[in-house]
Amino acid sequence: MLARGRATDYGEVWRRLVVVLAGAFAECEASHRAPAVARKEDGSPLSEVDTYVQSLIVSVIEEVDPDPSVLAEEGLNTVASSPRRSERLWVIDPIDGTTEFLRPGGREYCTAVAVLHRGDPVACLVFCPSLGRGGREMIVSVDGSGHPPQLNGSTAKALSPGECVGAVSATRSRNSPRRGFERALARRGVQVKTKASSLTLDMVRTCLDLRAATDLGPFDWFHRDRQLCWDALPGMAVAHAVGFATVDREGRSLTPLCGELLESSAPELSSVVVAAPDKLGRAIRCLEKEPTAGVER
């Protein structure tokens, strides 16, 4: 059992979750039935698999942390309802990239869990059921503060200082106009990903070289306006583990997160930028004259 509020190696929790999640997604695939889908108030899809996976994650967390503080995408926020404030918060996105999950042949989605300690993301699990080569699982994790990120159980390779791959993730709202910095980057031959799939995965790809496990390449930096916390915090945990910056578009640190923000039913960061220290200034300068964009969920 985990000791509340203390630094903890979360590796055993992630191993339990991987077994449960692998079984859940295998069960879904074996059913050969399209999951029932509803629409949230913002128009984004909510599948029955989202709610099922979220309930499984909460059950595993409760086995190791009785009466946990939990913030989860599908309508669960004990921060707002609890009379006490815990030093530890579990943040859950049962399927980040539900649209991609529902698309036949879609692979670029994940289940993401982050742990905050006093408002700082210190651990995470990013479970991708079929993103690995040959449709295999791909698992990224951070087992606690001071632990290096893991890729499929081995130490992950962080992107090298000074390495430029000529691609960035700067997704925007569906049908929104092209932004000025996109045109400027395109003129320099930089590829800009503008369509959102999994924001968590885009953040991870900005920090780690995943090419040993998947066909997806890295990004030089990541930007998103109005990003929900459950999309952001697992990627921020990976970024902190490799010493990358997580700031807003003005360059201000995003952490520690305040309790008032986390009490919201849909806590949202006004903007998020993730970059290696040597690339951060370039990213901020690129974004500084752009208006705040909308959000696609």
Side-chain angles (χ1 to χ4, degrees):
M1 186 177 297
L2 303 179
R4 181 174 293 276
R6 296 181 185 173
T8 307
D9 183 341
Y10 291 91
E12 179 58 33
V13 183
W14 304 151
R15 285 186 283 275
R16 294 191 200 186
L17 271 176
V18 164
V19 172
V20 170
L21 293 170
F25 283 104
E27 176 186 342
C28 178
E29 184 175 355
S31 72
H32 301 293
R33 179 181 65 84
V37 179
R39 290 284 167 182
K40 303 180 188 179
E41 290 184 5
D42 64 2
S44 60
L46 169 61
S47 80
E48 61 181 325
V49 182
D50 289 85
T51 53
Y52 176 54
V53 167
Q54 179 168 299
S55 68
L56 293 176
I57 296 170
V58 172
S59 295
V60 171
I61 290 171
E62 288 176 339
E63 291 175 3
V64 297
D65 187 4
D67 191 27
S69 290
V70 177
L71 170 64
E73 180 174 9
E74 310 309 343
L76 178 60
N77 186 347
T78 67
V79 181
S81 60
S82 176
R84 58 176 176 76
R85 183 163 290 173
S86 173
E87 290 187 334
R88 179 170 54 233
L89 175 66
W90 303 83
V91 182
I92 302 169
D93 191 343
I95 303 180
D96 180 35
T98 301
T99 299
E100 179 76 3
F101 166 69
L102 295 170
R103 182 178 67 83
R107 300 169 56 217
E108 201 171 324
Y109 61 91
C110 66
T111 293
V113 182
V115 179
L116 266 67
H117 179 68
R118 296 181 179 176
D120 286 310
V122 297
C124 70
L125 171 70
V126 180
F127 176 79
C128 308
S130 57
L131 192 61
R133 289 196 175 89
R136 292 188 294 270
E137 300 170 356
M138 189 186 78
I139 303 163
V140 173
S141 61
V142 177
D143 293 348
S145 181
H147 290 252
Q150 302 287 304
L151 173 61
N152 293 343
S154 300
T155 301
K157 178 184 176 183
L159 292 174
S160 303
E163 179 182 1
C164 290
V165 298
V168 302
S169 171
T171 59
R172 51 178 162 85
S173 301
R174 188 181 292 111
N175 300 323
S176 62
R178 195 180 189 195
R179 297 159 293 185
F181 74 83
E182 294 177 39
R183 292 187 289 270
L185 289 170
R187 286 194 294 269
R188 302 207 308 263
V190 177
Q191 295 181 334
V192 183
K193 181 186 178 188
T194 59
K195 183 179 179 181
S197 47
S198 165
L199 299 180
T200 296
L201 281 174
D202 283 8
M203 296 174 78
V204 172
R205 292 167 62 186
T206 303
C207 304
L208 303 179
D209 189 344
L210 305 178
R211 288 172 288 190
T214 180
D215 296 329
L216 293 181
F219 296 115
D220 287 321
W221 47 270
F222 168 93
H223 163 67
R224 182 71 178 182
D225 280 318
R226 296 177 55 199
Q227 187 173 356
L228 291 161
C229 282
W230 40 71
D231 292 335
L233 292 170
M236 289 170 64
V238 173
H240 289 190
V242 296
F244 280 27
T246 58
V247 298
D248 66 15
R249 60 193 299 158
E250 282 75 42
R252 298 171 298 207
S253 177
L254 294 171
T255 56
L257 275 67
C258 67
E260 289 74 17
L261 169 68
L262 298 170
E263 289 174 359
S264 167
S265 60
E268 186 177 73
L269 301 169
S270 61
S271 60
V272 177
V273 179
V274 177
D278 62 321
K279 298 176 183 176
L280 180 60
R282 190 183 323 160
I284 295 297
R285 288 192 297 273
C286 189
L287 297 167
E288 63 186 1
K289 295 184 179 179
E290 290 291 334
T292 301
V295 66
E296 174 187 28
R297 301 187 183 126

